[in-house]
Amino acid sequence: MTRIFVFPGQGSQARGMGKDLFDSFRDMEREADEILGYSIRTLCLDDPDGNLVRTQYTQPALYVVGAMAYRRRVEQLGDTPEFVAGHSLGEYNALFAAEAFSFTDGLKLVRQRGALMGNASGGGMAAVVGEDITNIREMLAEAGETTIDLANHNSPRQSVLAGPKEALERVAPYLESRKGVRVVPLNVRTAFHSRYMAPTKAEFGAYIAGFKLSPLMLPVISNLTALPYRDDEIAHNLVQQIDHPVRWVESIQYLLQEPEPTFEEIGQGTVLTKLIEEIRRVPLPVNIARRY
């Protein structure tokens, strides 16, 4: 059996998350409070000001809960997994698990990432449900929509588009003209994982350059390449991830080639578990790249 831990990203947050973790990991709570300048427990459990949906708060909250959940699960098992992967923000938890950086350095990176992404504006995102990614690309080309990017490939029949809101609204009826296709606007005001995040990527690149990153102790699957990280790619991949798509389907298909792959979602929610179930139902492509 190959044990694989996966960590969810933004969108999985919920008030009350981590309620069974904070009392057990007070050291991590204290460190988080010191770095963030507010009570992470209050944000996650009570969210009195409604900040949990704001990117600059969502990302640190999910990272902290994911890191605590990872420590708890490793303590329970008495061992680490064979592979780790994370969806977008969740990749930081995967890298923490692999000891690329300390809990506190990871939180500093996530805090800056969340702040930069939270300050970005313009554009939007929409999920396309019920169609495969090849047909979506073809339909966008047929519609002449050159300003929209594919931001996430989450499952064989669920992808996320990012771009100007007017373009997303314009193309939605065309996509929905295909039987069984639904387009669901997402409640964001920024086109994450698209070309429109290039300025944010540049700022984050300057910030991460000040951190020392360590060789990985576990294989981590990269959102950018859908392959295991090399030690010299950590900063580069995290920077590029900001304006490149999350290749979740390919990442899971890579891992499905391992002997008896067993996936376990660590952190808040079961979003990734459901996506992985969908990906498992589709036959693997004939030629999937292998790095090792």
Side-chain angles (χ1 to χ4, degrees):
M1 181 185 80
T2 305
R3 190 183 299 276
I4 302 161
F5 285 178
V6 294
F7 299 89
Q10 194 165 340
S12 61
Q13 70 275 6
R15 189 173 63 179
M17 66 183 190
K19 62 183 177 182
D20 60 336
L21 295 168
F22 281 101
D23 286 343
S24 299
F25 299 104
R26 292 185 181 275
D27 57 331
M28 298 173 81
E29 180 185 355
R30 284 193 297 271
E31 290 171 343
D33 288 353
E34 184 175 338
I35 289 168
L36 298 172
Y38 56 80
S39 169
I40 191 67
R41 179 190 292 252
T42 299
L43 173 65
C44 291
L45 301 189
D46 305 317
D47 191 23
D49 301 314
N51 284 329
L52 203 52
V53 296
R54 299 174 61 195
T55 298
Q56 55 265 54
Y57 291 94
T58 307
Q59 296 195 13
L62 285 170
Y63 172 80
V64 170
V65 169
M68 290 179 174
Y70 175 74
R71 275 187 56 181
R72 164 72 58 80
R73 192 66 181 120
V74 168
E75 287 175 2
Q76 291 171 340
L77 292 171
D79 200 359
T80 57
E82 278 73 45
F83 286 87
V84 288
H87 189 285
S88 189
L89 169 73
E91 194 158 284
Y92 287 80
N93 283 114
L95 288 165
F96 163 70
E99 301 181 35
F101 40 66
S102 66
F103 168 71
T104 52
D105 277 357
L107 182 55
K108 290 173 185 176
L109 290 170
V110 167
R111 177 191 61 184
Q112 182 71 0
R113 181 184 190 267
L116 292 171
M117 293 176 76
N119 287 334
S121 61
M125 303 181 79
V128 182
V129 182
E131 188 58 274
D132 68 62
I133 194 168
T134 300
N135 288 339
I136 292 171
R137 287 194 177 104
E138 289 176 356
M139 293 180 76
L140 289 174
E142 290 167 3
E145 291 294 351
T146 60
T147 61
I148 294 175
D149 292 343
L150 278 156
N152 298 353
H153 188 199
N154 290 333
S155 78
R157 297 182 69 79
Q158 186 203 116
S159 297
V160 176
L161 305 180
K165 282 191 174 181
E166 320 81 66
L168 293 171
E169 291 169 358
R170 186 169 57 242
V171 81
Y174 183 73
L175 294 172
E176 289 183 330
S177 68
R178 187 75 62 93
K179 185 178 179 180
V181 176
R182 291 186 298 117
V183 178
V184 183
L186 303 184
N187 186 25
V188 297
R189 60 184 181 90
T190 308
F192 297 137
H193 295 293
S194 75
R195 74 190 85 168
Y196 304 101
M197 296 301 292
T200 298
K201 179 178 80 169
E203 291 184 72
F204 185 71
Y207 183 76
I208 199 173
F211 286 78
K212 178 177 173 54
L213 303 173
S214 301
L216 299 174
M217 303 306 291
L218 293 171
V220 181
I221 306 302
S222 166
N223 286 186
L224 181 69
T225 64
L227 294 169
Y229 269 87
R230 291 192 177 101
D231 288 340
D232 61 357
E233 294 176 335
I234 300 171
H236 173 266
N237 285 10
L238 289 178
V239 171
Q240 294 299 317
Q241 185 212 63
I242 290 176
D243 69 349
H244 281 69
V246 175
R247 297 167 63 182
W248 190 247
V249 172
E250 293 169 86
S251 297
I252 298 305
Q253 288 175 333
Y254 179 96
L255 290 165
L256 285 172
Q257 297 173 95
E258 294 299 318
E260 299 181 54
T262 301
F263 295 87
E264 189 171 341
E265 189 162 357
I266 305 296
Q268 171 61 29
T270 59
V271 172
L272 298 183
T273 300
K274 294 171 184 175
L275 294 177
I276 291 168
E277 288 173 358
E278 293 179 35
I279 296 167
R280 276 185 180 273
R281 296 190 198 113
V282 176
L284 291 175
V286 176
N287 295 313
I288 300 179
R290 299 293 295 180
R291 175 163 286 181
Y292 300 134

